[in-house]
Amino acid sequence: MAAVGSAVGLGNIWRFPYICGKYGGGAFLLVYLCFAFGIGMVLMMSEFVIGRRSRHTPMRAFASLSPRRKGWRYIGLLGIVTCFFILSQYFVISGWTLSYFFDAVTGRLATMGQDAAAIGCYFTEFSTSASRPVVFLTVFALLTAVVILCGVQKGIEAVSKVLMPVLVVLLVVLCIRSLTLPGASRGLSYLFSPDFSKLSAEGVLAALGQAMFSLSVGMGVMIVYGSYIPASDDLFRTSMWITASDVLIAVLSGVAIFPAVFSCGLEPAGGPGLSYCVLPNVFNSMGGVTGVVFSAIFFLLLSIAALTSSISLLEALSAWLVETLRTRRFVSTLIIVAAEIALASIVSLSNGMWSHLQVGGDTFFDFVDRLNSIYLPPLCAFGTVLFFAWVMPEADVRDELTNHGVLRAVYYPVFRFIVRWLAPLALVVVFLTSILT
Ligand code: PHE
């Protein structure tokens, strides 16, 4: 459940629709699904095996599984760097979500009615302003730290077990509302009828990046979680279950967002603000108190989903710092959170006041987004999969996947082929294509 909590988050409801809209809809969805099951899930199993076999955080895990080739531990370090950048951006978007929750409760969103232009303007004004997003991201970051320090298991696991299903139910309600808006069918066909002429090489890479971001793989988080998985769990079934629920929630949010996008006359390629510009329209179309109640519950649940994901990132980072600096958990968590708040504030301010802060023609926000999806995770995943398939003893892998010979693992030959050949090849091809084109 904790791993589902890590996987299901803003990646599904905030990121998936806007990336899918940016790269052409249906064709992107199809490629994304292939990557999620063909590569993402396989990577997840590999990370679980590495974590459970070693019972360590990434750097040590790599070192302990290949004692004579300690250089592999730098793949673990790359994962940590990736987590660091992802968390900074994650805090910014989580801050938006929290702020929207307050706007829903106070009725501010409702006052905008079904005026898509006003709702869009509000988002732009808010996200480019200096203080409010920074205040909310700081509150959210501190909240994450408090949960981590109070003990992850009792609090958050219990809470997310109940609330995740509620989030799904709410998402289904939203889908129904969105589908009954006038002109909704155009959104559905945008999402489900693939037009491959719209898919660029960068789109394919973005699909891979999105699959990895959404499944929380390619940065060692699942190695950390794998190290907590009981010896008796079937890693194949666990990974299958997580991947299926994660993909389902992404598709559901696509069904909730795109019909509404077209119905409100908005652009599917609306960028990172897409969900925040679209959802208030859908809520407000429910009318009066119903809309207010639904939007408040929805943004609250989305904040909680974001919390369970950021917890997994912060947990990985602070567990690593505890292991390397031998500090106390309290100290390491505070150090990381302070550094993250600083970086996240820069990311946030680069949407407005500091928009001149550019890297290679991108705003700092877009640059970090690129790092987080297109560059760092595929690179780290490539190292992980090479290590897993070519360096780690095969007997250990088989032993973990069959739970010491108890399970049959009929899928093993296919799995082995994918990790040895297909996954590394796909990662290299997709990565090079994006750099060279
Ligand atoms: N998978 C999370 C989401 O979809 C984001 C995440 C990425 C969490 C990497 C942990 C590690 O929102």
Side-chain angles (χ1 to χ4, degrees):
M1 273 322 276
V4 173
S6 166
V8 174
L10 297 169
N12 308 63
I13 294 164
W14 155 68
R15 201 165 192 287
F16 173 76
Y18 105 76
I19 295 286
C20 183
K22 181 169 172 190
Y23 293 108
F28 176 92
L29 175 65
L30 214 62
V31 178
Y32 164 75
L33 288 178
C34 294
F35 280 145
F37 283 98
I39 295 188
M41 181 183 147
V42 167
L43 277 169
M44 187 182 290
M45 285 171 72
S46 316
E47 291 195 13
F48 280 163
V49 167
I50 294 174
R52 193 166 74 171
R53 191 75 189 173
S54 65
R55 301 277 183 207
H56 280 304
T57 59
M59 269 187 96
R60 283 235 184 135
F62 283 99
S64 75
L65 293 175
S66 68
R68 274 175 294 134
R69 282 178 266 186
K70 291 219 188 283
W72 284 98
R73 67 176 192 275
Y74 293 108
I75 298 294
L77 187 62
L78 186 63
I80 294 297
V81 173
T82 312
C83 285
F84 192 76
F85 277 105
I86 290 196
L87 189 55
S88 69
Q89 189 194 22
Y90 217 80
F91 277 158
V92 176
I93 317 295
S94 305
W96 292 356
T97 314
L98 203 57
S99 163
Y100 266 63
F101 165 65
F102 281 102
D103 288 340
V105 173
T106 55
R108 189 165 179 177
L109 290 181
T111 57
M112 292 174 225
Q114 281 174 269
D115 184 348
I119 292 172
C121 271
Y122 174 69
F123 174 78
T124 314
E125 223 168 80
F126 156 71
S127 64
T128 54
S129 66
S131 53
R132 194 173 157 107
V134 173
V135 169
F136 275 96
L137 76 84
T138 307
V139 171
F140 191 89
L142 294 177
L143 210 64
T144 312
V146 169
V147 176
I148 289 257
L149 291 174
C150 291
V152 174
Q153 275 187 349
K154 271 188 225 126
I156 203 71
E157 234 189 89
V159 169
S160 57
K161 259 186 203 168
V162 181
L163 292 185
M164 284 298 138
V166 184
L167 180 68
V168 176
V169 172
L170 227 63
L171 208 52
V172 172
V173 173
L174 270 186
C175 289
I176 297 173
R177 177 68 273 229
S178 185
L179 286 171
T180 47
L181 289 171
S185 59
R186 277 186 51 219
L188 269 195
S189 70
Y190 180 81
L191 186 61
F192 291 118
S193 42
D195 173 0
F196 282 95
S197 64
K198 283 196 193 145
L199 194 69
S200 58
E202 185 174 306
V204 174
L205 189 72
L208 177 65
Q210 173 60 20
M212 294 174 57
F213 183 91
S214 187
L215 291 172
S216 310
V217 295
M219 57 224 64
V221 166
M222 290 303 183
I223 296 185
V224 178
Y225 274 25
S227 73
Y228 307 147
I229 296 181
S232 57
D233 280 12
D234 179 349
L235 294 181
F236 174 75
R237 278 189 50 188
T238 305
S239 313
M240 179 70 130
W241 203 77
I242 299 171
T243 309
S245 10
D246 190 64
V247 162
L248 181 76
I249 295 189
V251 173
L252 277 181
S253 50
V255 174
I257 303 270
F258 286 111
V261 166
F262 284 92
S263 168
C264 302
L266 295 168
E267 272 297 309
L274 187 67
S275 298
Y276 297 85
C277 294
V278 170
L279 286 172
N281 286 296
V282 183
F283 290 121
N284 291 349
S285 76
M286 293 174 171
V289 182
T290 323
V292 172
V293 171
F294 264 96
S295 63
I297 300 178
F298 182 82
F299 284 114
L300 180 66
L301 290 177
L302 191 54
S303 303
I304 293 168
L307 192 65
T308 54
S309 298
S310 52
I311 282 171
S312 72
L313 286 158
L314 187 59
E315 171 73 21
L317 286 163
S318 75
W320 164 77
L321 206 63
V322 167
E323 246 186 25
T324 19
L325 295 187
R326 300 190 192 289
T327 51
R328 280 184 305 135
R329 201 176 149 78
F330 179 75
V331 178
S332 69
T333 305
L334 284 192
I335 295 177
I336 303 250
V337 167
E340 291 287 1
I341 291 178
L343 184 62
S345 304
I346 301 176
V347 172
S348 173
L349 290 172
S350 77
N351 277 326
M353 210 164 85
W354 289 355
S355 58
H356 55 278
L357 198 72
Q358 298 207 335
V359 186
D362 280 335
T363 62
F364 193 64
F365 183 97
D366 288 339
F367 167 70
V368 171
D369 189 51
R370 232 169 222 280
L371 276 186
N372 288 345
S373 55
I374 298 199
Y375 297 115
L376 293 176
L379 214 59
C380 181
F382 181 67
T384 307
V385 90
L386 280 192
F387 172 85
F388 179 77
W390 297 93
V391 177
M392 204 176 147
E394 188 181 351
D396 287 1
V397 172
R398 212 181 241 284
D399 199 44
E400 274 311 314
L401 290 176
T402 60
N403 289 358
H404 315 292
V406 177
L407 305 169
R408 284 203 34 235
V410 277
Y411 58 83
Y412 187 75
V414 179
F415 173 78
R416 188 84 188 147
F417 176 75
I418 296 182
V419 282
R420 291 207 114 182
W421 301 104
L422 214 62
L425 202 73
L427 287 166
V428 169
V429 169
V430 174
F431 191 72
L432 287 184
T433 323
S434 86
I435 293 188
L436 301 176
T437 50

